[in-house]
Amino acid sequence: MARRQPGRRAREARVLVDRRTFVSWVVLGALAAPHLVLAQADRKVARIAFISTAAGALPDSWWGAFVASLGAQGWREHQNLVIERRYVEPRTDAALAAAEELVRLKVDVIVVSSTLTALAAKQATTTIPIVVGASSNLVAQGLAAGLAQPGGNLTGFELRDIELTGKRLELLKAAVPTIARVAVLANPTIRAHDDVPSTLAPDARTLGVQLQRVAADTPEAFEGAFTAMVQGRAEALMIMDVPVFARNRHRLLELARLHRLPTISGTRFFAEAGSLLAYGANVYDLCRRSAVYVDKILKGTKPADLPVEQPTKFEFVINLKAAKQIGLTIPPNVLARADKVIR
């Protein structure tokens, strides 16, 4: 039997249903469109700024730790994140110019890596949040009102550089038991260094060591500083953690080798550059933690509600190549205490 073809009325009914379906989808699409626009608007691209005085001085892995930690929080550069990087000479005017430029760009957060850049950013803005990745004595420098309640628009992480000098002196004496006179290289432009090495006096007396404060704030002052060490009959050198010393660590350590002075400093990259010893905060960990602070601020937390934190991880590094160059043998019990030995 031949199949009966649909009649005219049936065809018209089907067309009418198709039109109604089409119109329904158009209406639903129109109703949904504003919500789609709002959802896209919620996916704001964040813009953060990074100011450092350590171009070519700090290991790339430190920056990598920061970016990787941001990625773990869901922030990815070239997707939902723009990072404005500024590397400047360790001068107040250069740091301030960079900070003021970034303020004009209306970035969401400014990340800094030293006391100098923190002071510049704080001077440039009182509204844009500032996160200090690693610096010394934020409270003593007047950058934060207190550790628990920093106040204002700045928070971050302290290196505890001054507090660790006693431990460094003890490790230096343990590694080179014969030393009796130690020079301490400080930066006279850093307020927190004003009391160095007087803060070390009790430890020095306990260890039977005399201290000599030597100041330098530019590479041009290094030669004169070492001349003063020789005149003071220094037998070892402690280098404080500041950007000008970090940037020029190879020159400092070369001068120390020429004068056969065993050295100790804070962060491990000094030891990797040739310092005999290094003891200080694990800066890789601080970089990761500072990225978590940036994430919290981008999601609405105020800097004043984020306490200034101090390092919880420390590392002791010994460079046996440096020991060999100046004819030293590190006692086995000291080697056993090291987190890393460079051979």
Side-chain angles (χ1 to χ4, degrees):
M1 179 183 294
R3 182 175 298 178
R4 187 175 181 178
Q5 296 297 323
R8 177 181 174 185
R9 291 182 180 179
R11 289 196 301 272
E12 289 176 350
R14 188 171 58 192
V15 170
L16 180 60
V17 170
D18 290 342
R19 286 176 179 173
R20 286 174 179 171
T21 302
F22 174 75
V23 170
S24 297
W25 280 111
V26 170
V27 171
L28 288 173
L31 292 172
H35 298 285
L36 291 173
V37 171
L38 288 174
Q40 291 174 353
D42 287 341
R43 297 185 194 130
K44 175 187 174 184
V45 175
R47 183 185 292 260
I48 69 172
F50 177 75
I51 312 175
S52 176
T53 57
L58 298 182
D60 290 339
S61 53
W62 286 16
W63 174 253
F66 175 77
V67 174
S69 184
L70 282 175
Q73 313 304 318
W75 299 102
R76 290 175 175 79
E77 198 170 4
H78 309 304
Q79 294 183 24
N80 60 352
L81 179 68
V82 174
I83 303 177
E84 299 283 354
R85 299 170 176 84
R86 298 294 184 273
Y87 296 102
V88 300
E89 292 296 319
R91 303 190 319 271
T92 299
D93 59 335
L96 183 57
E100 289 174 340
E101 176 197 359
L102 293 166
V103 169
R104 289 192 294 272
L105 291 176
K106 298 181 179 179
V107 295
D108 298 303
V109 184
I110 298 176
V111 182
V112 295
S113 63
S114 67
T115 301
L116 175 68
T117 50
L119 288 167
K122 187 71 173 176
Q123 183 177 340
T125 178
T126 57
T127 56
I128 297 176
I130 301 167
V131 174
V132 182
S135 183
S136 297
N137 302 88
L138 297 180
V139 177
Q141 295 289 339
L143 288 164
L147 297 180
Q149 296 180 317
N153 64 320
L154 181 146
T155 188
F157 298 84
E158 287 194 339
L159 284 172
R160 292 180 61 188
D161 186 43
I162 307 298
E163 298 174 49
L164 296 176
T165 52
K167 180 68 174 179
R168 290 181 190 136
L169 188 63
E170 180 264 317
L171 289 170
L172 183 59
K173 179 70 172 178
V176 194
T178 59
I179 59 173
R181 300 178 70 86
V182 176
V184 181
L185 185 63
N187 186 335
T189 67
I190 302 296
R191 190 191 309 172
H193 287 192
D194 290 347
D195 296 328
V196 175
S198 60
T199 52
L200 273 169
D203 300 282
R205 284 193 296 270
T206 301
L207 296 168
V209 171
Q210 289 186 314
L211 300 174
Q212 174 193 10
R213 186 180 193 274
V214 181
D217 59 354
T218 64
E220 291 73 25
F222 291 170
E223 294 278 359
F226 276 87
T227 298
M229 293 178 208
V230 172
Q231 293 173 346
R233 294 177 287 126
E235 298 169 305
L237 170 63
M238 180 186 298
I239 303 171
M240 300 300 293
D241 262 339
V242 291
V244 67
F245 299 158
R247 283 175 64 97
N248 298 281
R249 63 191 182 279
H250 293 284
R251 178 57 180 155
L252 276 176
L253 296 171
E254 178 186 354
L255 288 167
R257 282 193 297 272
L258 287 173
H259 292 90
R260 302 183 68 81
L261 290 175
T263 56
I264 187 166
S265 54
T267 45
R268 66 184 293 173
F269 67 90
F270 270 94
E272 292 168 349
S275 178
L276 177 67
L277 309 171
Y279 177 77
N282 184 321
V283 183
Y284 299 96
D285 182 59
L286 293 182
C287 289
R288 288 190 291 268
R289 290 164 62 190
S290 63
V292 173
Y293 265 27
V294 170
D295 170 65
K296 289 182 178 181
I297 290 171
L298 290 174
K299 292 176 179 175
T301 304
K302 295 180 180 179
D305 296 330
L306 294 171
V308 172
E309 292 191 359
Q310 295 181 325
T312 57
K313 296 181 180 180
F314 303 90
E315 52 189 354
F316 176 37
V317 184
I318 300 174
N319 188 326
L320 290 182
K321 293 181 181 178
K324 184 177 181 180
Q325 287 175 338
I326 57 177
L328 286 178
T329 300
I330 305 297
N333 64 316
V334 178
L335 282 172
R337 298 168 64 181
D339 298 291
K340 180 180 179 180
V341 177
I342 300 171
R343 301 180 184 276

